Amino acid sequence: EPMDPIAVDVRRMEHEAESWHGRLEVYRGGAAWRGLIRFQREGEEGQFRTGEIFCEDDLQDLRNRFNSFTASTMSAFLRSTLS
C-alpha cells in the first residue's frame, strides 16, 4: 500500500514578483521513489501541486533532480498547477 507523500526538500522561489515555496514530496511506490512538487505562496494557506513527476530508484537521485531544476523550470511547474 502506498504511503502518504512526505516533504523531504524545499526551495524558495520568485514567481511574478511574489515569494513561493516549492516542496518536494515523495512516497514509495512499488520498487521506486515517486514524487511531486507542492507549491505555496508565502504567507498564504492555499497549495497547488503537480502530478507525479519523479520516479527514481534512489531517494537522493530524486532530491538531486529536484535541486537541479532552474528557476524557470520551477516557474513552469508552478504555472502548470495554476491553470
Side-chain angles (χ1 to χ4, degrees):
E1 180 171 308
M3 59 189 253
D4 289 332
I6 55 168
V8 295
D9 213 334
V10 64
R11 291 179 57 177
R12 188 177 174 281
M13 55 182 284
E14 297 289 321
H15 178 71
E16 295 182 355
E18 295 182 307
S19 293
W20 288 78
H21 290 100
R23 284 180 178 75
L24 171 62
E25 296 187 1
V26 301
Y27 61 95
R28 193 77 179 164
W33 286 97
R34 300 176 188 279
L36 56 96
I37 303 173
R38 187 177 305 272
F39 294 98
Q40 185 170 10
R41 189 180 285 119
E42 203 165 274
E44 293 194 12
E45 295 293 317
Q47 298 181 358
F48 307 89
R49 56 161 277 186
T50 65
E52 179 187 301
I53 55 174
F54 299 98
C55 182
E56 299 282 348
D57 292 332
D58 183 77
L59 180 57
Q60 189 59 50
D61 289 344
L62 196 149
R63 290 179 77 173
N64 291 345
R65 225 173 114 217
F66 171 72
N67 284 306
S68 75
F69 290 149
T70 64
S72 60
T73 300
M74 290 291 288
S75 285
F77 280 126
L78 173 57
R79 279 193 310 276
S80 76
T81 70
L82 299 174
S83 53

